[in-house]
Amino acid sequence: MLALSLCCLGVVAIAIYFSTKIEDEVFKVGMGFTAIAFSLVVLICAPWILKLIVATIPLVISALGSLSVENFRL
């Protein structure tokens, strides 16, 4: 199960990378759905520690976004 989870995480990472680099809107949507689908597979099949990591990554990214320089204007 760990090998399946790590392969799915690789697919998710590649899909997210491609969705940020490609300009075609349809391709971006397809890569987004691919990333979401494989993330759900990871959340079902992965060990608990990997599930916690996958679940906390979006929270950390959103917290880092609110710490940008634009929010600290005087």
Side-chain angles (χ1 to χ4, degrees):
M1 285 298 201
L2 183 61
L4 175 67
S5 299
L6 292 177
C7 290
C8 287
L9 279 177
V11 170
V12 168
I14 291 169
I16 291 172
Y17 174 76
F18 281 152
S19 69
T20 59
K21 296 296 178 186
I22 303 297
E23 297 297 324
D24 185 26
E25 298 294 326
V26 176
F27 191 75
K28 281 186 178 185
V29 171
M31 287 292 106
F33 281 130
T34 302
I36 290 172
F38 278 92
S39 295
L40 291 175
V41 171
V42 169
L43 289 176
I44 292 170
C45 297
W48 278 104
I49 190 71
L50 196 56
K51 288 179 184 182
L52 290 174
I53 291 170
V54 169
T56 56
I57 287 173
L59 297 174
V60 170
I61 291 172
S62 67
L64 290 176
S66 65
L67 295 175
S68 67
V69 177
E70 296 171 352
N71 292 335
F72 293 113
R73 292 183 185 169
L74 295 176

